[in-house]
Amino acid sequence: MSSLAQHVAGLACPPLSGASRRRPAAPQRPSALVCGTYALTKEERERERMRQLFDEASERCRTAPMEGVAFSPEDLDSAVESTDIDTDIGSLIKGTVFMTTSNGAYVDIQSKSTAFLPLDEACLLDINHIEEAGIHAGLVEEFMIIDENPGDETLILSLQAIQQDLAWERCRQLQAEDVVVTGKVIGGNKGGVVALVEGLKGFVPFSQVSSKSTAEELLEKELPLKFVEVDEEQGRLVLSNRKAMADSQAQLGIGSVVLGTVESLKPYGAFIDIGGINGLLHVSQISHDRVADISTVLQPGDALKVMILSHDRERGRVSLSTKKLEPTPGDMIRNPKLVFEKADEMAQIFRQRIAQAEAMARADMLRFQPESGLTLSSEGILGPLSSDTTSEGSGEGQTADE
């Protein structure tokens, strides 16, 4: 039996197929095996601690949400109401824009209610983007509450309503002062044109337009205007171009030089816009030299200085001249820039010549004073010779004879 065991022990068994291919050793876990489990690393221990804290906080929120809070929801509502913010329709409230959108802007009004400024309530003008009205995040402004959305109790704010009130007040003030304002024509119909004044749309009837222009011709142009009717309650703002033009025309003096713009050319002359008044620069008054074709000298849109020759206020006609402003004959044809530069100087010379001619005429008339019965006052005005003046003259003569 022992010999058999020795015989078996001495046998060399051949290796099994594939036994020589040993598998690579598995990577060892960095932690040590303690009591049948692996010990956690420092990072794993921290993650485990955070998970436990999160689970505990989540459980407290579910079972006792107000634990550790110094006040209740009722206390919060009471605190909000104690701020005493007036959110009635029509009241004014101060707020800060904190976000803008394509439709408007959200405003913080220090209230539990949400506040929104719609795009069409941002200003008096028609705009496409809220930024065009100067609205941006961080802007602090006073708004008017104009409505409330019943669905979510969002307050609807407006800047346009405040601006309208101010604009109407400004128009009433300007009407009381009877001043001339400038309005831009933005539309029209068969009865007149619509002009924008102080941000408000006013109506100018064609009967109150000084020119014979159509609504299409006046579109986008600026007109001098005066207020005829300012009625905020009825929303009526009526304006007059004729009244404004009458004031402007009253300031035109013969011999004065004004800046004008060529409006149109005709075979007989050019129509010049001088501050909203159309004056005629006749072809004979363009230059001392003959002008065969006006278009070779002037073009629509050209700016030039002209002298007022005459002004018919009843018929609304003004005659102009550049001929009188030429330093030398023909300068308007050869060197119009020089005429522009020397216009005021030449006008002064022209006025001096007129004054001298009038003085000489008065002197000639005085030579015939006894026959004409006229005398020259201290202001240089001719008038009838009074009896007092005659007696004084006779007394002086007697004294001289004595």
Side-chain angles (χ1 to χ4, degrees), residues 129-358:
H129 305 283
I130 196 72
E131 290 77 12
E132 296 177 32
I135 308 299
H136 56 83
L139 175 68
V140 179
E141 191 58 86
E142 188 174 50
F143 303 86
M144 179 182 288
I145 300 174
I146 61 172
D147 201 359
E148 181 179 4
N149 189 336
D152 55 7
E153 298 184 350
T154 298
L155 295 178
I156 307 302
L157 307 181
S158 174
L159 284 175
Q160 184 187 79
I162 298 176
Q163 294 171 2
Q164 274 187 339
D165 290 343
L166 295 174
W168 281 106
E169 178 61 31
R170 176 62 175 161
C171 288
R172 284 191 291 269
Q173 179 183 357
L174 293 172
Q175 182 188 31
E177 296 174 358
D178 196 33
V179 298
V180 177
V181 298
T182 300
K184 184 177 181 180
V185 178
I186 60 173
N189 51 42
K190 293 181 179 180
V193 295
V194 178
L196 199 62
V197 177
E198 296 294 325
L200 299 177
K201 295 178 180 178
F203 184 66
V204 188
F206 279 127
S207 61
Q208 294 298 319
V209 177
S210 60
S211 66
K212 300 297 182 181
S213 304
T214 64
E216 290 76 14
E217 293 171 339
L218 293 174
L219 194 62
E220 297 299 321
K221 288 190 175 182
E222 293 186 344
L223 300 177
L225 301 166
K226 269 195 168 187
F227 293 94
V228 175
E229 182 180 357
V230 180
D231 189 341
E232 182 178 2
E233 291 185 1
Q234 299 294 328
R236 285 176 58 84
L237 185 63
V238 183
L239 307 159
S240 173
N241 173 242
R242 282 189 178 276
K243 289 188 175 183
M245 296 301 293
D247 278 8
S248 301
Q249 291 175 0
Q251 301 174 4
L252 294 178
I254 306 302
S256 60
V257 175
V258 294
L259 184 65
T261 304
V262 178
E263 286 288 311
S264 61
L265 302 180
K266 302 294 181 182
Y268 50 85
F271 284 97
I272 313 297
D273 178 14
I274 48 175
I277 302 173
N278 277 327
L280 175 62
L281 176 60
H282 195 269
V283 63
S284 64
Q285 286 296 328
I286 294 177
S287 175
H288 284 85
D289 289 359
R290 181 176 180 275
V291 177
D293 184 0
I294 299 177
S295 63
T296 61
V297 183
L298 300 172
Q299 286 293 323
D302 287 351
L304 72 166
K305 288 183 178 180
V306 292
M307 176 184 286
I308 307 296
L309 286 185
S310 65
H311 182 199
D312 187 344
R313 290 182 175 84
E314 292 183 0
R315 303 176 68 181
R317 293 183 178 179
V318 181
S319 297
L320 309 172
S321 175
T322 53
K323 176 180 178 178
K324 305 295 185 184
L325 303 178
E326 288 183 322
T328 56
D331 280 342
M332 267 302 293
I333 299 174
R334 294 185 296 270
N335 192 358
K337 184 178 180 181
L338 178 64
V339 178
F340 188 94
E341 294 173 352
K342 297 286 186 178
D344 296 305
E345 180 182 336
M346 296 304 299
Q348 181 63 26
I349 295 174
F350 176 79
R351 288 191 291 268
Q352 290 174 356
R353 290 174 180 172
I354 294 297
Q356 291 173 359
E358 291 176 349

Side-chain angles (χ1 to χ4, degrees), residues 3-15:
S3 60
L4 178 60
Q6 293 176 354
H7 176 71
V8 172
L11 292 176
C13 297

